[in-house]
Amino acid sequence: MAAGTIRYWAAAKAAAGTAEEPYAAGTLAEALAVVRQRHPGELSRVLQRCSFLVDGAPVGTRGHETVRLAEGGTVEVLPPFAGG
C-alpha cells in the first residue's frame, strides 16, 4: 500500500469539496473506491466521466485495478472540460 495525494480539478473539486486529499492504496481502483466512500453522491457521478493522470502519465483505457500507485505519488482527477 502506498500513500500519496489525490488532486481534484474543476467539477471534481466542487463535488469533493476539496482541492486535494491523501490516498493510501495500492492501485487506482482502490484509491477511487475510498474516494467514493468518503464522498458519496455527486463526486461518484463525476468520477464516471473523469480522466486520470498518475504521476503525470495518462491512465487512458487501462483498467484502474492494473494502475499501481507509488509512495508519494499524485493522482490528478480531470473531469471533461468545455472545448477540450
Side-chain angles (χ1 to χ4, degrees):
M1 184 170 298
T5 303
I6 297 176
R7 291 191 183 130
Y8 301 103
W9 298 96
K13 180 179 173 181
T18 187
E20 64 181 48
E21 63 186 342
Y23 70 73
T27 66
L28 179 58
E30 292 169 1
L32 293 177
V34 171
V35 164
R36 287 182 179 98
Q37 289 176 346
R38 277 188 203 149
H39 308 283
E42 185 61 23
L43 183 58
S44 290
R45 287 185 287 279
V46 170
L47 289 174
Q48 293 174 358
R49 299 182 311 272
C50 287
S51 57
F52 303 93
L53 299 177
V54 174
D55 298 329
V59 170
T61 60
R62 290 183 288 160
H64 295 168
E65 67 282 353
T66 68
V67 179
R68 304 292 308 161
L69 300 179
E71 184 68 29
T74 302
V75 174
E76 307 277 349
V77 181
L78 307 168
F81 291 94

